[in-house]
Amino acid sequence: MQRRAFLQFLTAAASVGAVFPSALRAAAKDPLALSAQRFNAARKIHPILAGWESISPPGTGFADAEIKGHWPKALRGTLFRNGPGLFERGGQRYQHWFDGDGLIQAWRIGETGIRHHSRFVDTKKHRRENKSGRFEVMAAGTTIPNARAVSGPDDVNTANISVMQLGGKTYALWEAGSAFEINSETLATVGAKVWRDDLEGVAFSAHPVYEPDGSIWNVGLFDKQMIIYHVGADGQLISAELVALAQSGYMHSFTATATQLVFVLAPMVKVRDAGSYFEGLGWLPEQGSLMVIVPKSDLSKPRFVNFESGAAYHYADAWDEPDGAIALRACWYKTDAAFVSPLQNYMQGDVVSRATAAPNLVEIRLAKNAKRAEVNATAHSLVEFPIQTRLMRQSALLMLQGRQSNKHGMLSALLYADPSGKRLAHFDFGDDFALEEQLFVRAGGKNYALGTIFNVKTARTGIVLFDLKNINDGPIAQAWLDRAMPLGFHGTFVAA
Amino acid sequence: MKSIASIFAAMFVIASNAGAASLTIDITDVTASTGTIGIQLVDSKAVFDGGGKPVAARQIKASGANMVSVTFEELKPGKYAVMVMHDENDNGKLDSNIFGIPKEGYGFSNNPNVMRRPTFDEAMIEMAAEDKAITINIL
């Protein structure tokens, strides 16, 4: 019988409170309808809000991008991007950027030019809500009045965080539910990926860590249970290990040294048994952050270390030191204030200028046999989206940077830096641009950074290409759509 | 607390009660066309939690129809709850994944939105002397 597993499910849910609990009573005035009205009125005046404007399902057809500069012949392939692309239904608007259904964008960089198209991931939620024309289930950060009951996270899965290519297949990734396989050419959804029978519907998060052999590590979290995946370069599951945690917390990504997987859970815990997931979280600094260190050679032997409270969406790099210590660099938020709902003002149609809320780069060090990890500041502030530098020299960092003086509070610069503080190269597009995640791409023996960019003044979306040897002079090539696409989170480049 | 699975096994026992009212249950969102849909009517928290026999139970073979209906007759006035399990592969249990999240369909009266097993109070319905009809959505 299934007694133990189901009881575990029930007990977990009871201890943390309902993840997506009962619908709230409808407010006298529907705040989601008011939000839609406010956003759409503001959108007519402020082009920057195009970054949070809905795309109509099923997506956008092929469009040729306007080419600028020189695109190297050796660089051919597809830049896949993922992010929330649908924010309103039935006159209601989400309040939180992370809520929108996942929209996969493909920038096809070919011989004759660069073409763009996009398509929503056809999750259960997306299909159900397309049919009814209204929000049906609780969103990640918005309470949906009269939301229907759900069985598990996959009922609310938006598949909106990143894209992974593995074993010749392309996947849209979320962090609390299944990965969705998508057709690499058409972007049509193939279906939810089941890595193994007992892993159906289990979280497969959005930041897999690659090994030199092309295999990946990944993680899924459900209350105080964590699953660690190792999947081969051929896309076949090598192993999956369940780790029991003494405390719950929030985790978006993780990192790894050559020998250890390192997971950090922020002290964000379900404290309110009402509303959406993010609305129900509380910041519990007394609990501290939890570091879980798991040897790659034996996933059944995790170590747990508590340390000072903080949270990171993203990690730059991690390494083993000769004395047995491990160290990692993270874009670190000291509290949940700027962490829990980034750029919420724009999502809600509020264009009042506010300070850039990006985190600072820290180095987190755990000495051999130490009971606590230490968090040390670095010289780099207002940095996010560190670039996975597994193919670059480890001592240099590539990331996006903001500026307190940026009038839109957006990240606008590409920074190439020495971790000791030296700025090796830097290019700032200025206040009229929001630079999105840049990916490390190697083509024709050269190293590039490739990623999307949004012109907040003209409401156009494009891609830019940097030669990493010459960042200071700006991008060597660009390609621009004549329209805006919603701002996204992460992606991957797949060479042709 | 007994598991839903053990209650499911007890569903096949059908009891009868003298009474006046009938309860009709429309079960919607039946997405799998295989297996057996088990419906169990209980009249106390203890039985809801697996500590006794249900007032009534019924099982229906899934046929591909999105909705099935069942009526329990002659129910005395009082508090009841209805539990529905869809054993889609007829293996006699509610399959779940490694986290313990059910992989097969289930539902409760009142359709509580709790993403965990609801309590008896959350699933409780009142029967008076009149006939009653409810809808349970399979999750």
Side-chain angles (χ1 to χ4, degrees):
Chain A
M1 294 301 249
Q2 208 63 7
R3 175 188 170 87
R4 192 187 65 82
F6 197 76
L7 282 179
Q8 197 173 29
F9 163 63
L10 299 179
T11 307
S15 65
V16 74
V19 179
F20 292 89
S22 303
L24 300 179
R25 290 185 207 93
K29 285 186 178 179
D30 179 358
L32 307 192
L34 291 174
S35 181
Q37 289 164 17
R38 184 172 64 169
F39 180 89
N40 290 308
R43 168 66 188 95
K44 290 173 184 168
I45 303 165
H46 302 288
I48 191 172
L49 295 180
W52 292 267
E53 196 167 27
S54 286
I55 296 294
S56 297
T60 57
F62 277 100
D64 290 315
E66 179 193 352
I67 303 289
K68 291 182 176 179
H70 173 67
W71 284 89
K73 282 185 180 174
L75 196 132
R76 296 284 182 264
T78 302
L79 171 63
F80 292 102
R81 290 272 301 162
N82 195 355
L86 202 155
F87 306 102
E88 294 183 21
R89 288 190 189 271
Q92 293 184 311
R93 182 173 177 83
Y94 285 141
Q95 307 286 291
H96 196 293
W97 186 20
F98 299 175
D99 293 339
D101 291 355
L103 179 71
I104 304 295
Q105 299 184 51
W107 296 80
R108 311 283 186 183
I109 304 172
E111 297 289 331
T112 56
I114 297 177
R115 304 187 82 195
H116 173 277
H117 64 132
S118 68
R119 190 159 179 159
F120 282 100
V121 186
D122 199 25
T123 62
K124 183 177 182 180
K125 170 188 184 294
H126 184 71
R127 195 163 57 245
R128 182 179 261 169
E129 295 184 341
N130 271 351
K131 193 174 175 185
S132 69
R134 64 183 183 84
F135 295 140
E136 295 244 340
V137 295
M138 201 67 80
T142 301
T143 297
I144 303 302
N146 305 312
R148 65 182 298 152
V150 297
S151 171
D154 261 4
D155 286 348
V156 298
N157 189 340
T158 50
N160 70 359
I161 299 178
S162 192
V163 182
M164 173 181 80
Q165 171 96 181
L166 190 68
K169 293 182 174 176
T170 306
Y171 300 91
L173 305 181
W174 196 45
E175 64 187 20
S178 299
F180 278 77
E181 185 185 342
I182 57 171
N183 182 298
S184 306
E185 299 300 318
T186 66
L187 308 182
T189 300
V190 177
K193 175 67 180 176
V194 180
W195 300 100
R196 199 173 66 196
D197 205 36
D198 62 337
L199 298 174
E200 181 180 338
V202 171
F204 186 90
S205 64
H207 287 279
V209 172
Y210 286 79
E211 284 289 316
D213 66 2
S215 67
I216 60 144
W217 300 97
N218 204 3
V219 68
L221 199 58
F222 184 72
D223 191 25
K224 293 177 183 172
Q225 300 179 92
M226 186 170 87
I227 187 103
I228 301 173
Y229 301 85
H230 190 197
V231 186
D234 59 357
Q236 301 299 309
L237 183 75
I238 297 170
S239 62
E241 182 82 21
L242 199 59
V243 176
L245 304 171
Q247 66 186 55
S248 58
Y250 178 79
M251 176 170 56
H252 174 73
S253 69
F254 68 103
T255 188
T257 71
T259 63
Q260 314 281 324
L261 303 171
V262 186
F263 308 90
V264 176
L265 276 73
M268 291 168 68
V269 178
K270 187 84 183 171
V271 295
R272 286 175 287 276
D273 196 20
S276 68
Y277 171 72
F278 278 112
E279 289 169 308
L281 293 179
W283 181 256
L284 304 181
E286 66 278 8
Q287 174 177 299
S289 292
L290 174 68
M291 182 184 287
V292 185
I293 308 104
V294 183
K296 291 178 182 175
S297 59
D298 188 351
L299 302 181
S300 69
K301 291 182 179 168
R303 274 202 300 149
F304 304 94
V305 173
N306 279 92
F307 65 111
E308 73 177 60
S309 295
Y313 278 115
H314 305 121
Y315 299 89
D317 53 358
W319 63 96
D320 298 300
E321 301 213 325
D323 64 0
I326 61 170
L328 54 113
R329 282 187 280 251
C331 297
W332 196 245
Y333 298 78
K334 285 195 168 181
T335 74
D336 64 339
F339 184 85
V340 77
S341 188
L343 302 177
Q344 184 178 24
N345 56 314
Y346 291 117
M347 184 63 199
Q348 299 181 4
D350 173 11
V351 294
V352 174
S353 178
R354 62 179 57 193
T356 302
N360 299 324
L361 189 76
V362 300
E363 184 175 303
I364 302 173
R365 181 173 293 267
L366 178 65
K368 188 179 181 182
N369 302 323
K371 296 280 191 286
R372 285 181 75 82
E374 290 178 9
V375 180
N376 299 306
T378 74
H380 303 297
S381 60
L382 299 181
V383 288
E384 251 295 3
F385 294 96
I387 291 163
Q388 296 299 314
T389 55
R390 68 189 173 93
L391 297 176
M392 299 168 59
R393 67 190 179 97
Q394 196 173 49
S395 58
L397 299 170
L398 193 58
M399 50 206 160
L400 304 189
Q401 190 165 42
R403 212 180 341 98
Q404 287 296 1
S405 60
N406 186 309
K407 66 183 177 186
H408 301 298
M410 308 296 280
L411 302 168
S412 60
L414 182 64
L415 169 68
Y416 191 47
D418 188 298
S420 68
K422 189 178 174 191
R423 182 189 275 193
L424 301 173
H426 182 261
F427 183 82
D428 195 330
F429 285 89
D431 289 9
D432 290 344
F433 295 87
L435 191 59
E436 298 191 276
E437 179 189 62
Q438 302 291 300
L439 297 169
F440 176 73
V441 174
R442 188 164 170 81
K446 290 188 169 181
N447 295 334
Y448 301 97
L450 172 68
T452 45
I453 187 167
F454 174 53
N455 185 323
V456 306
K457 211 168 179 179
T458 63
R460 292 178 71 186
T461 297
I463 53 176
V464 290
L465 183 74
F466 283 89
D467 180 341
L468 290 186
K469 278 191 173 171
N470 195 12
I471 289 173
N472 286 333
D473 288 346
I476 60 168
Q478 305 178 34
W480 287 91
L481 301 176
D482 62 4
R483 60 166 299 161
M485 296 300 296
L487 289 166
F489 296 139
H490 303 285
T492 192
F493 178 77
V494 179
Chain B
M1 181 186 358
K2 287 196 178 178
S3 72
I4 285 184
S6 64
I7 297 169
F8 183 75
M11 256 179 222
F12 302 94
V13 179
I14 301 176
S16 67
N17 279 290
S22 71
L23 173 66
T24 297
I25 305 156
D26 289 341
I27 298 159
T28 66
D29 294 340
V30 180
T31 53
S33 58
T34 56
T36 305
I37 301 159
I39 306 106
Q40 183 177 12
L41 179 71
V42 302
D43 62 353
S44 72
K45 180 180 182 304
V47 180
F48 185 85
D49 292 338
K53 289 183 179 176
V55 173
R58 197 75 49 84
Q59 48 181 324
I60 300 170
K61 283 285 177 191
S63 63
N66 182 259
M67 190 184 91
V68 298
S69 292
V70 61
T71 301
F72 294 118
E73 308 280 0
E74 300 185 337
L75 300 177
K76 294 175 184 172
K79 296 177 177 178
Y80 295 87
V82 183
M83 301 183 279
V84 181
M85 310 290 146
H86 188 171
D87 180 11
E88 297 168 10
N89 56 8
D90 274 335
N91 67 352
K93 64 184 182 182
L94 186 73
D95 293 347
S96 66
N97 67 23
I98 200 168
F99 281 165
I101 300 168
K103 290 161 58 178
E104 296 182 305
Y106 67 94
F108 291 88
S109 42
N110 290 335
N111 301 301
N113 187 2
V114 291
M115 208 154 85
R116 57 171 165 76
R117 191 184 196 279
T119 63
F120 178 74
D121 285 347
E122 287 168 335
M124 190 262 291
I125 55 171
E126 290 259 14
M127 287 296 294
E130 299 80 33
D131 293 348
K132 187 170 185 137
I134 64 170
T135 298
I136 293 178
N137 304 321
I138 293 281
L139 305 179

